[in-house]
Amino acid sequence: MCDSLRHNPGTTLNESTAKHHDGSPASALSSKTGEKRAVVDPECAEVDTAGVDPKRVLLKMDLHLIPMLALLYLLSFLDRGNIANAKIEGLVETLHMTGPQYNWTLTVFFFTYCVFEVPSNLLLKQLRPSIWLPSIMIAWGVVMTLMGIVQDFKGLLIARLFLGVAEAGLYPGVAYYITMWYCRTEAQFRQAMFFSAASVAGAFSGLLAFAIAKMDGVGGYEGWRWIFILEGILTVLIACLAFLTIYDFPETAKFLTESERAWVVHRLRYQGSKDSGQMVAESEHFRWKYVRDAFTDWQIYLALWMYWGIVCPLYGTSLFLPSIIRELGYTSSTAQLLTVPIYITAAVLAIAVAWSSDRTGQRSPYIFTCMCAIAIGFIICISASAHGDVPGVVYAGIFIAVCGIYPAFPGNVTWLSNNLAGSYKRSAGMAVHIGVGNLAGAMASNFYRTQDRPKYILGHALELAFVGVGLCAVGGLRWNYRRINRVREGMPVGEYSEVENSEMGDRAVTFRYVL
């Protein structure tokens, strides 16, 4: 847990931090020049935290923030992946689509999803999370509902393009939103709690699709159309509730007392430098320089390979798992139900691994181990598929792979967010990482081709190749982070001013990378 504040009964939050118009802590103003600078005055760093119970504050934050975030992401992943359930209920046959055409409807989603993630993350803080997140949620709920009435391949393709636009802001936005509330050594557990909603979505999607498909013929619509229509309407209803239940920033959280808000704000601003011997506040004001820094940071591009090594298997399994299981010889309804135990187990493991990772303050060992499990799972799938007539072994391989994917994903997102300093650089950097990283979904959408069924050996082999490259990226990131930390430990802390260190963010001599 981050270091708690020193007690100073004479100082309050209002005295210690200025505010931007959006409620985020602003840089302090120089009394002589009126120019904006980082809050580095030791007196400003001391606030009254007498009586603050850290565990109680974290529990209050968890109860007020995580359930709604998890519900939003559950619906997002449900709406994004339910096309896999609709496929085995007759979507392809009704719209007279070929196998490649179906894969294109999956692929185009990620083109717009990638393009709109960075601007969405930058707008999140300016427009406030309580407005922006529910608004984009309503947009994708409407698009999802309209997908239920498309009449041909072109209509479905256009709908998937717009679904990518609307959903682009949710995951990177929520991942960044968590970093505005929780410290580096607390973030992965919370990331996992809301990301595990994707696992539950996978299980819930199968159960829901199984039930909704029974509506085949109601109103003259096929069962797969009702999957899109009902899940889209549910999303819009929950979005209306989200306007009232999402909180913006710690500085304005009414469920926290003034001293609790001060404690949360302070520890977030000084967390990156707490191991260096000099307390330096993170820069909070917007400058285009921070966006440029994000686009030119070496760690983001190396981390992309790690991301692809996890997300290719993630999307490959989420988009094709029901089809893969059905090709093993099971009926459509049984295939839907057999996805449930896989996703439920993965959700439990994701939370358990994240809790342990936060406790130890380490990221890379857990990510590496989970990615090894993914590799083992796909090796089993390839071996069993090549042998033939062992569907249970193939199912076991997929089970193991998914149980590695879901704990690894929140770890990889949290690890990079831990090592980006400066609020707006972190916002842009996480959006680049997640946005470009999700192009893996476009690639994975074409791994499992119709002509490769029922064994899908090529798809499994491509997933395994990406996992191998991702494992190398994890090793490279850890080696570089450790090397830079050692170099900085040997550098004099006073070489740069506190203002310069604040502006430099994670490139400052006072910043320490999480391993």
Side-chain angles (χ1 to χ4, degrees):
M1 180 175 292
C2 297
D3 293 341
S4 59
L5 311 187
R6 290 169 293 183
H7 290 198
N8 182 355
T11 308
T12 66
L13 176 63
N14 292 331
E15 295 170 330
S16 63
T17 56
K19 299 287 186 68
H20 284 308
H21 68 276
D22 62 0
S24 59
S27 301
L29 298 178
S30 170
S31 59
K32 293 182 179 180
T33 66
E35 295 177 351
K36 194 176 288 185
R37 65 177 178 81
V39 179
V40 292
D41 189 334
E43 183 178 351
C44 294
E46 298 178 0
V47 296
D48 181 9
T49 58
V52 171
D53 181 350
K55 291 183 178 180
R56 182 173 180 271
V57 174
L58 288 175
L59 179 60
K60 287 169 68 173
M61 287 163 54
D62 290 342
L63 294 177
H64 284 84
L65 304 177
I66 301 301
M68 181 52 70
L69 297 181
L71 182 57
L72 296 187
Y73 194 59
L74 184 151
L75 292 170
S76 169
F77 213 81
L78 188 69
D79 291 344
R80 185 186 317 173
N82 58 12
I83 192 172
N85 303 107
K87 179 189 178 186
I88 67 173
E89 297 297 342
L91 176 146
V92 173
E93 292 77 12
T94 302
L95 300 184
H96 307 291
M97 292 164 56
T98 63
Q101 284 179 327
Y102 172 75
N103 285 352
W104 265 111
T105 63
L106 304 181
T107 303
V108 296
F109 168 89
F110 296 99
F111 294 155
T112 49
Y113 189 86
C114 171
V115 169
F116 286 92
E117 288 200 355
V118 173
S120 178
N121 248 27
L122 295 177
L123 286 170
L124 175 70
K125 197 165 184 179
Q126 297 297 324
L127 299 181
R128 295 169 34 207
S130 63
I131 300 297
W132 183 245
L133 294 178
S135 297
I136 62 175
M137 191 176 178
I138 288 177
W140 93 64
V142 170
V143 173
M144 176 56 54
T145 303
L146 295 177
M147 279 177 60
I149 61 173
V150 297
Q151 299 300 317
D152 54 25
F153 163 65
K154 291 181 180 178
L156 183 61
L157 193 74
I158 293 171
R160 291 284 295 179
L161 275 169
F162 280 99
L163 187 65
V165 174
E167 283 202 32
L170 186 77
Y171 183 74
V174 172
Y176 170 57
Y177 177 75
I178 285 178
T179 69
M180 292 192 287
W181 290 82
Y182 295 97
C183 281
R184 299 198 295 178
T185 52
E186 301 156 358
Q188 186 172 338
F189 182 61
R190 278 76 190 181
Q191 294 275 11
M193 282 198 291
F194 101 82
F195 181 73
S196 63
S199 302
V200 176
F204 187 55
S205 179
L207 289 171
L208 196 58
F210 175 74
I212 295 176
K214 302 299 181 183
M215 295 180 63
D216 188 40
V218 175
Y221 288 147
E222 295 90 343
W224 66 264
R225 293 186 184 276
W226 283 112
I227 292 175
F228 291 145
I229 293 170
L230 294 183
E231 292 181 6
I233 292 173
L234 176 63
T235 297
V236 173
L237 294 176
I238 297 299
C240 294
L241 176 64
F243 279 109
L244 305 175
T245 55
I246 292 180
Y247 296 88
D248 290 321
F249 308 103
E251 299 88 344
T252 58
K254 294 181 179 179
F255 65 87
L256 297 175
T257 65
E258 183 178 12
S259 59
E260 289 172 341
R261 291 195 295 268
W263 180 78
V264 172
V265 169
H266 180 280
R267 70 199 197 110
L268 286 169
R269 299 201 66 202
Y270 291 86
Q271 59 179 324
S273 61
K274 68 185 182 68
D275 295 328
S276 68
Q278 180 178 351
M279 299 291 281
V280 176
E282 282 193 356
S283 175
E284 290 284 340
H285 59 279
F286 177 78
R287 289 173 58 188
W288 282 108
K289 172 186 180 297
Y290 300 139
V291 179
R292 290 194 298 272
D293 286 347
F295 275 94
T296 57
D297 197 330
W298 66 270
Q299 58 177 319
I300 292 176
Y301 295 99
L302 185 53
L304 271 175
W305 290 100
M306 169 180 66
Y307 193 99
W308 283 338
I310 299 168
V311 173
C312 273
L314 171 66
Y315 281 118
T317 54
S318 66
L319 294 173
F320 291 96
L321 186 56
S323 297
I324 293 171
I325 294 176
R326 186 179 66 172
E327 294 299 334
L328 295 177
Y330 300 101
T331 65
S332 293
S333 57
T334 302
Q336 303 279 28
L337 296 176
L338 281 174
T339 64
V340 176
I342 296 179
Y343 286 121
I344 294 298
T345 305
V348 174
L349 285 174
I351 293 174
V353 169
W355 179 84
S356 181
S357 179
D358 277 351
R359 292 275 291 184
T360 61
Q362 294 281 316
R363 304 296 182 213
S364 56
Y366 294 92
I367 299 171
F368 193 88
T369 301
C370 290
M371 293 185 72
C372 286
I374 302 172
I376 291 170
F378 282 114
I379 290 172
I380 293 173
C381 287
I382 293 171
S383 302
S385 296
H387 183 277
D389 299 322
V390 282
V393 178
V394 177
Y395 179 79
I398 294 173
F399 203 122
I400 293 170
V402 173
C403 287
I405 292 168
Y406 281 84
F409 187 82
N412 112 87
V413 171
T414 304
W415 194 21
L416 183 69
S417 72
N418 286 167
N419 292 327
L420 293 173
S423 180
Y424 280 97
K425 181 185 177 181
R426 186 182 303 113
S427 171
M430 291 179 70
V432 172
H433 183 224
I434 296 171
V436 179
N438 273 317
L439 286 177
M443 294 183 278
S445 299
N446 297 282
F447 285 178
Y448 293 93
R449 304 178 304 174
T450 303
Q451 59 264 40
D452 296 327
R453 64 184 185 186
K455 294 184 176 181
Y456 293 112
I457 292 178
L458 176 62
H460 297 325
L462 289 171
E463 304 284 25
L464 181 61
F466 271 93
V467 174
V469 174
L471 284 167
C472 295
V474 173
L477 278 168
R478 182 179 173 90
W479 183 84
N480 273 292
Y481 285 150
R482 176 180 284 180
R483 176 184 61 82
I484 294 171
N485 282 349
R486 287 176 176 171
V487 170
R488 289 177 181 174
E489 286 170 2
M491 296 176 66
V493 174
E495 184 172 340
Y496 297 95
S497 71
E498 292 176 342
V499 173
E500 289 174 323
N501 280 325
S502 178
E503 294 293 326
M504 290 168 67
D506 53 81
R507 295 176 180 176
V509 66
T510 54
F511 186 87
R512 298 293 182 268
Y513 289 113
V514 173
L515 301 178

